[in-house]
């Protein structure tokens, strides 16, 4: 049916109209609208007086309904107009498509008729191709016959290093080869095929010597470039010729790539692009690295490594001077030959030093490498030279050894130094042990203090290692000091064990000649520890504050090891003092002593001798030894009293005993007067205990003992009821009731030990009482 028929017959019904179909959505919308209207009306007209405004609401809703109908009609009309315009466009497109289809059919018929005419021209095309091939062959015959002669001539020029002339001939040969290949390729393309393998093989056979000439010329070029430094000082002409040839080749590569870069264009000649400029710099770098290839492990061991690095420095700087002043003027400016030589030297040095670092180097060799890398290489005498800095920034070269490589090298240095330090410390300790066996006093310093060679050796060794490490850097110094402190701690632990063994040997044979100066060397050991303590504190102060957290191991504590060694040595000194006092202690507080007072002066002479020797010890250990000697003397004196060797039989003996104890106290005070002069009297003076005990024994009224004991307990809170009971027994006049009240008072008023109080009675054990017979009384039980 046509469009006109549709238009004319569109309004004529063909049969009765079907019943209107009602959509469920319409019914639902109508119900919702009615419900909403009823809800609105019930809200508006909820009262009778509201009906007066019914006409107003009706008018307003009528106007709104009319407006909505108008907008709906306008929208439907616009939609219908758009549909009509679209249908008209579709009709026009259908007419145009039918016209194009008819034109394509006509073109296909014309093409079929023309293809029959082309077949008659195939023979003419074949004849044309053959004609062009014959013309090419005739025109290239003279060149083909002269190829072999030109190849021989070019070989002669290359061998005589007439490089520019040889390169010109080589370029002619390559141009002929390229022209012939292109003519054959064009003829084959005209015939609708590609160049046959037979034709290419024939051309390659004629020009077989060209490829060999290229290789020979390149070999001569690179030989000239690799010896450029030597030629620059004698005759730079061959080097200049080589650079000109490289630039010719580079320009030819660019021209060929620009002219023949397309996929359908003329193909590149064989072996192109040659990229001889990149090869030039590669050969230059190989020439730089050649000086490092002949270096062997044996030639650079020990002092030879430092000499080798020094030779490298002078050789590289001499080569750079030659490149900067001579070769730089023989090449184009864009070559930046000095910068290229710098980069090549840096890369070769990086590889060479990595090889050197992998060897089993000793500490001196590692120091030479680190010093050369960190200080000499970047100094103004080498890469930091102002003229070289202007050529290239240091950041462009990068580090000569990576951060990880430097850390490994420094760790290797520290381990090597540690091995050496450990060996030297072991030898120094062995020498110290041998000195202890000498039959003479230890040496003294300018202040008169005992000393041996041990602290001097250790201190100088550690300080020297720290000073040398600081020449490399603060980090290496901190590692070296840390290592030295570890080794110091180990040495002091072994030193303390040696002191213990030294004391055992002396106790086994105290009368031998080796034990004659036993005490003197113990005192020298204490002075040595004081010197080592000062050295240790000095080393710890040299360490950087940030170095403490860099070490994963537990930090060394040589000061604690020093304190343990000093304590052990002081204990041995006190043991020796006790041994020397032991022959006189049994005579104390006996009846002969009470009458004659004989052992005390001898005991004081022993103390004076020891205190005189203690004066050869450096402070503060000198004061410590004197205090310990004072403490030991009083403890042993009171211990002798606690043994009840003498029990008073009356008031006269008590008075006499107290007077003798006061006399002994005066003698001891005269012996220890140096302590008071130096102001090092301890907080609890043990000598002051003797007058207190003397007053306790001398007291006439036993009923006042309660008050006396309370004062004694206040001064010495560690005194026990056993000690007081012995003192009461020594008096010999205390009744059972007084004893009971005194002991009860002591038990009830036992005060706690104050802070910083050093117990004295705790070290004095009361010997158990021996009774021949004991009644089983309640008190005894």
């Amino acid at each position: 049916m046509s469009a006109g028929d549709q238009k004319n017959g569109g309004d004529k019904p063909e049969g009765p109209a079907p019943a209107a179909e009602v959509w469920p959505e319409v019914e639902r919308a109508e119900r919702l609208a009615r419900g909403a209207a009823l809800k609105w009306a019930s809200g508006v007209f909820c009262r009778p007086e509201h009906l007066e405004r019914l006409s107003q609401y009706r008018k307003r809703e009528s106007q709104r309904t009319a407006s909505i109908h108008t907008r709906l009609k306008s929208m439907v009309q616009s939609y219908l107009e758009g549909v009509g315009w679209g249908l008209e466009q579709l009709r026009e497109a259908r007419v145009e498509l039918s016209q194009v289809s008819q034109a394509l059919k006509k073109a296909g018929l014309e093409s079929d008729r023309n293809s029959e005419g082309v077949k008659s021209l195939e023979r003419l095309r074949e004849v044309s191709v053959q004609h062009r091939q014959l013309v090419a062959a005739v025109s290239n015959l003279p060149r083909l016959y002269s190829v072999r002669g030109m190849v021989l001539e070019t070989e002669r020029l290359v061998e005589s290093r007439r490089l520019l002339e040889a390169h010109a001939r080589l370029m002619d040969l390559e141009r002929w080869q390229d022209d012939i290949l292109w003519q054959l390729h064009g003829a084959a393309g005209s015939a609708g095929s590609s160049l046959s393998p037979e034709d290419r093989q024939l051309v390659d056979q004629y020009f077989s010597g060209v490829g060999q000439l290229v290789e020979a010329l390149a070999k001569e070029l690179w030989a000239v470039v690799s010896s450029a430094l030597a030629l620059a000082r004698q005759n730079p002409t061959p080097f200049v010729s080589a650079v000109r040839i490289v630039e010719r080749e580079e320009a030819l590569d660019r021209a060929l790539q620009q002219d023949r870069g397309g996929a359908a264009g003329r193909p590149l000649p064989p072996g192109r692009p040659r990229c001889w400029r990149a090869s030039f710099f590669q050969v230059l770098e190989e020439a730089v690295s050649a000086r490092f290839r002949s270096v062997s492990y044996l030639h650079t061991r020990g002092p030879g490594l430092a000499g080798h690095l020094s030779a490298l420095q002078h050789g590289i700087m001499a080569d750079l001077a030659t490149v900067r002043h001579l070769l730089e003027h023989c090449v184009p400016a864009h070559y930046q030959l000095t910068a290229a030589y710098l980069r090549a030297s840096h890369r070769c040095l990086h590889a060479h030093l990595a090889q050197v670092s992998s060897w089993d180097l000793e500490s001196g060799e590692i120091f030479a490498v680190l010093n050369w890398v960190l200080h000499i290489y970047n100094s103004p005498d080498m890469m930091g030279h102002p003229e070289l800095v202007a050529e290239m920034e240091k950041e462009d070269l990068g580090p000569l050894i990576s951060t990880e490589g430097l850390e490994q090298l420094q760790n290797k240095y520290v381990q090597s130094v540690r091995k050496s330090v450990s060996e030297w410390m072991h030898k120094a300790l062995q020498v110290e042990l041998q000195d202890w066996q000498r039959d003479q006093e230890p040496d003294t310093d300018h202040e008169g203090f005992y000393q041996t060679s041990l602290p001097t050796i250790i201190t100088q060794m550690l300080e020297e290692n720290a000073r040398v490490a600081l020449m490399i850097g603060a980090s290496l110094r901190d590692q070296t000091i840390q290592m030295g402190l570890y080794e110091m701690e180990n040495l002091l632990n072994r030193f303390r064990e040696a002191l213990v063994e030294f004391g055992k040997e002396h106790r086994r044979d105290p009368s031998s000649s080796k034990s004659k100066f036993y005490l003197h060397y113990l005192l020298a050991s204490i002075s040595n520890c004081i010197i080592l303590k000062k050295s240790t504190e000095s080393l710890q102060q040299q360490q950087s504050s940030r170095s403490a957290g860099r070490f994963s191991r537990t930090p060394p504590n040589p000061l604690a090891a020093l304190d343990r060694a000093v304590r052990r040595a002081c204990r041995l000194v006190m043991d020796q003092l006790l041994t020397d006092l032991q022959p006189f202690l049994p005579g104390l507080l006996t009846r002969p002593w009470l009458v004659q007072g004989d052992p005390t002066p001898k005991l004081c002479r022993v103390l004076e001798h020891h205190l005189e020797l203690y004066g050869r010890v450096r402070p503060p250990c000198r004061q410590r030894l004197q205090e310990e000697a004072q403490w030991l003397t009083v403890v042993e004196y009171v211990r002798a009293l606690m043994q009840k060797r003498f029990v008073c039989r009356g008031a006269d003996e008590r008075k006499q005993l107290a007077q003798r104890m006061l006399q002994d106290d005066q003698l001891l005070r005269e012996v220890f007067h140096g302590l008071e002069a130096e102001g090092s009297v301890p907080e609890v003076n043990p000598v002051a205990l003797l007058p207190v005990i003397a007053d306790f024994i001398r007291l006439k009224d036993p009923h006042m003992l309660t008050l006396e004991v309370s004062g004694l307990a206040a001064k010495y809170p560690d005194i026990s009821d056993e000690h007081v009971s012995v003192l009461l027994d020594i008096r010999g006049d205390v009744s059972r009731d007084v004893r009971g009240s005194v002991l009860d008072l002591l038990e009830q008023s036992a005060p706690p030990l104050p802070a910083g109080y050093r117990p004295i009675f705790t070290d004095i054990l009361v010997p158990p009482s021996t009774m021949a017979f004991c009644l089983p009384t309640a008190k005894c039980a």
Side-chain angles (χ1 to χ4, degrees):
M1 182 185 295
S2 64
D5 297 337
Q6 290 178 357
K7 185 176 181 181
N8 296 331
D11 298 331
K12 296 180 180 180
E14 296 182 357
E21 182 180 359
V22 181
W23 290 355
E25 290 81 359
V26 176
E27 292 181 359
R28 184 170 178 273
E30 186 175 358
R31 287 198 302 271
L32 291 175
R34 287 179 180 278
L38 289 173
K39 185 176 181 181
W40 175 80
S42 62
V44 173
F45 303 106
C46 58
R47 295 183 180 181
E49 58 267 19
H50 294 167
L51 295 175
E52 296 176 358
R53 291 183 290 182
L54 179 62
S55 59
Q56 297 177 4
Y57 284 114
R58 181 181 296 164
K59 183 178 179 181
R60 187 179 66 183
E61 294 300 324
S62 298
Q63 291 175 355
R64 183 184 298 174
T65 304
S67 175
I68 292 173
H69 286 170
T70 302
R71 288 200 303 269
L72 285 174
K73 289 179 181 179
S74 175
M75 183 180 65
V76 171
Q77 183 65 28
S78 170
Y79 175 73
L80 291 176
E81 289 177 358
V83 171
W85 181 81
L87 291 174
E88 186 64 26
Q89 293 292 325
L90 289 174
R91 292 191 194 97
E92 293 177 0
R94 186 175 64 179
V95 172
E96 291 177 358
L97 285 174
S98 63
Q99 293 175 358
V100 170
S101 177
Q102 292 176 3
L104 287 175
K105 288 181 181 179
K106 292 179 181 179
L109 293 175
E110 290 294 331
S111 176
D112 293 340
R113 287 195 295 269
N114 291 336
S115 62
E116 296 177 357
V118 170
K119 293 180 180 179
S120 61
L121 298 176
E122 289 293 336
R123 178 60 183 166
L124 182 61
R125 180 185 294 112
E126 294 176 359
V127 173
S128 176
V129 169
Q130 292 177 359
H131 176 71
R132 282 199 297 271
Q133 289 178 347
L134 290 174
V135 170
V138 171
S139 62
N140 288 315
L141 278 177
R143 295 181 179 177
L144 292 175
Y145 282 120
S146 62
V147 165
R148 187 171 299 277
M150 285 191 66
V151 168
L152 294 176
E153 179 65 17
T154 307
E155 287 179 354
R156 186 182 62 79
L157 293 175
V158 170
E159 291 174 356
S160 60
R161 282 204 171 181
R162 296 162 64 182
L163 301 181
L164 289 175
E165 298 179 31
H167 185 254
R169 299 291 181 88
L170 180 61
M171 291 176 66
D172 292 339
L173 289 171
E174 288 181 330
R175 185 169 57 253
W176 292 356
Q177 182 182 11
D178 186 36
D179 292 343
I180 292 173
L181 286 174
W182 175 241
Q183 290 174 7
L184 294 176
H185 185 273
S190 301
S193 61
S194 60
L195 183 63
S196 64
E198 291 80 5
D199 294 341
R200 177 173 288 279
Q201 183 178 3
L202 181 62
V203 174
D204 293 342
Q205 183 177 0
Y206 269 103
F207 292 91
S208 60
V210 175
Q212 298 175 359
L213 283 176
V214 172
E215 295 177 359
L217 180 61
K219 184 177 179 181
E220 290 296 327
L221 282 178
W222 306 144
V224 169
V225 172
S226 61
S227 58
L229 293 173
L231 292 174
R233 301 183 183 95
Q234 301 172 0
N235 181 20
T237 302
F239 180 74
V240 175
S241 301
V243 173
R244 291 180 61 184
I245 293 173
V246 168
E247 285 302 301
R248 283 183 190 175
E249 288 290 328
E250 200 69 18
L252 189 57
D253 283 344
R254 286 196 302 270
L256 291 175
Q257 287 176 336
Q258 291 174 1
D259 296 342
R260 311 182 187 187
R266 187 171 178 177
L268 290 173
R272 293 285 180 180
R274 292 202 173 106
C275 303
W276 275 10
R277 186 185 293 168
S279 300
F280 172 88
F281 290 105
Q282 183 178 358
V283 171
L284 184 67
E285 184 170 351
E286 291 178 356
V288 174
S289 64
R291 68 172 60 253
F292 305 105
R293 294 174 185 165
S294 59
V295 177
S296 66
Y297 175 70
L298 296 177
H299 293 164
T300 58
R301 285 311 311 268
L305 182 57
H308 167 69
L309 295 175
S310 177
L312 281 181
Q313 175 188 355
H314 292 95
I316 291 174
M317 294 307 295
D319 293 347
L320 283 172
T322 302
V323 172
R324 192 168 65 251
H325 297 133
L326 298 178
L327 292 182
E328 191 74 59
H329 305 293
C330 300
V331 299
H334 63 83
Y335 269 48
Q336 296 182 349
L337 193 61
T338 303
Y341 194 88
L342 274 173
R343 285 191 295 269
S345 301
H346 184 81
R347 284 193 293 267
C348 293
L349 277 175
H350 177 78
H352 178 62
L353 290 177
Q355 178 189 9
V356 172
S357 301
S358 65
W359 295 343
D360 185 16
L361 301 177
E362 297 179 356
S363 58
E365 297 168 328
I366 301 175
F367 175 83
V369 174
L370 289 173
N371 185 55
W372 198 86
V373 170
L374 296 177
H375 301 296
I376 296 178
Y377 185 72
N378 294 318
S379 67
D381 295 333
M382 202 168 178
M383 293 302 175
H385 194 278
E387 296 182 4
L388 297 181
V389 172
E391 293 289 341
M392 177 174 291
E393 296 293 336
K394 296 179 182 178
E395 290 75 11
D396 298 337
L397 295 176
L400 192 58
I401 296 181
S402 64
T403 305
E404 295 79 6
L406 280 177
E407 290 180 358
Q408 293 177 1
L409 207 56
Q410 289 182 358
N411 292 335
K412 188 185 293 186
Y413 174 80
V414 172
Q415 293 302 321
S416 179
V417 173
R418 181 170 195 165
K419 181 180 178 182
S420 176
V421 168
S422 179
E423 293 176 355
W424 274 102
M425 284 187 174
H426 179 73
K427 293 179 181 178
L429 183 58
Q430 295 301 318
V431 172
E432 177 75 6
L433 298 182
Q434 293 175 4
D435 289 344
W436 291 352
Q437 310 299 327
R438 293 193 305 173
D439 191 16
Q440 61 182 22
E441 284 191 51
D443 299 331
T444 57
D445 60 6
H446 64 284
E447 296 177 293
F449 298 128
Y450 283 143
Q451 70 172 13
T452 60
S453 60
L454 178 66
T456 304
I457 295 174
I458 301 301
T459 301
Q460 290 180 354
M461 178 170 52
L462 295 182
E463 291 180 351
E464 179 68 16
N465 285 327
R467 185 188 62 80
V468 172
L470 183 60
M471 296 172 63
I472 300 300
S475 175
L476 185 60
R477 178 201 58 189
D478 293 342
Q479 294 184 49
T480 304
I481 292 176
Q482 191 86 344
M483 174 274 300
L485 295 178
Y486 276 118
E487 292 302 319
M488 173 85 79
E489 184 177 6
N490 296 333
L491 170 71
L492 291 171
N493 290 331
R494 296 196 302 270
F495 183 75
R496 183 170 58 88
E497 295 172 357
L499 285 173
V500 173
E501 188 63 30
F502 188 40
K504 291 180 180 179
E505 292 180 1
H506 175 70
R507 286 193 295 272
R508 283 195 295 264
D509 189 9
S511 61
S512 65
S513 59
K514 296 181 179 179
S515 302
K516 182 177 180 181
F517 297 98
Y518 167 74
L519 179 60
H520 303 71
Y521 282 101
L522 285 179
L523 300 176
S525 300
I526 297 174
S527 293
N528 291 343
C529 290
I530 297 172
I531 297 174
L532 291 176
K533 181 181 179 181
K534 294 180 180 179
S535 174
T536 301
E537 292 173 346
S538 174
L539 289 174
Q540 290 177 336
Q541 292 173 0
Q542 292 180 38
Q543 281 187 293
S544 303
S545 58
R546 63 179 182 274
S547 66
R550 289 203 304 262
F551 304 101
S552 59
R553 293 180 54 187
T554 304
N557 194 1
L559 294 179
L562 272 168
D563 186 63
R564 290 193 295 269
V566 170
R567 287 177 180 274
R568 175 55 60 184
C570 290
R571 184 68 263 169
L572 292 174
V573 170
M574 291 299 104
D575 291 344
Q576 182 61 29
L577 174 60
L578 181 59
T579 301
D580 293 343
L581 294 177
Q582 197 64 42
F584 311 105
L585 293 178
L588 286 175
L589 298 162
T590 60
R591 290 195 177 273
W593 163 80
L594 184 63
V595 176
Q596 303 173 0
D598 184 35
T600 305
K602 297 178 180 178
L603 185 143
C604 290
R605 284 194 292 272
V606 172
L607 285 174
E608 289 175 353
H609 174 67
H610 276 258
L611 292 176
E612 182 183 358
L613 292 179
Y614 298 166
R616 300 295 187 93
V617 179
R618 290 179 173 274
C621 286
R622 176 177 58 192
Q623 292 83 353
R624 178 178 176 180
L625 288 173
Q626 292 170 349
E627 293 173 6
E628 291 296 324
Q630 186 181 26
W631 201 274
L632 174 67
T633 303
V634 174
V635 167
E636 293 300 324
Y637 193 96
V638 177
R639 181 178 285 120
L641 181 64
M642 290 294 122
Q643 293 177 1
K644 295 190 293 187
R645 300 170 184 169
F646 179 82
V647 177
C648 298
R649 299 173 182 173
D652 294 337
E653 288 189 355
R654 286 193 294 272
K655 181 179 179 181
Q656 189 177 3
L657 174 61
Q659 290 178 352
R660 179 62 68 182
M661 290 183 64
L662 291 176
Q663 291 175 4
D664 289 352
D665 173 66
Q666 185 62 32
L667 290 175
L668 292 176
R669 287 181 183 275
E670 292 176 0
V671 171
F672 293 112
H673 71 281
L675 289 178
E676 299 178 0
E678 295 177 4
S680 59
V681 179
E683 186 174 340
V684 179
N685 188 0
V687 179
L689 177 60
L690 300 184
V692 175
I693 297 177
D695 292 341
F696 182 87
I697 295 174
R698 186 172 50 184
L699 188 64
K700 296 180 180 180
D701 188 1
H703 295 88
M704 297 295 293
L705 289 175
T706 304
L707 182 60
E708 191 73 19
V709 168
S710 63
L712 182 63
K715 291 182 180 180
Y716 303 96
D718 62 319
I719 191 170
S720 65
D721 53 354
E722 289 87 355
H723 298 110
V724 175
S725 180
V726 171
L727 293 177
L728 295 176
D729 291 341
I730 292 173
R731 282 182 57 89
D733 64 340
V734 181
S735 63
R736 181 175 299 179
D737 296 335
V738 175
R739 179 187 295 269
S741 61
V742 169
L743 296 179
D744 292 340
L745 175 64
L746 182 64
E747 184 177 358
Q748 293 173 4
S749 63
L753 297 180
Y757 173 79
R758 180 178 178 182
I760 185 171
F761 284 96
T762 304
D763 297 334
I764 303 172
L765 298 179
V766 177
S769 60
T770 57
M771 291 184 293
F773 180 74
C774 182
L775 294 175
T777 62
K779 182 69 175 179
C780 183

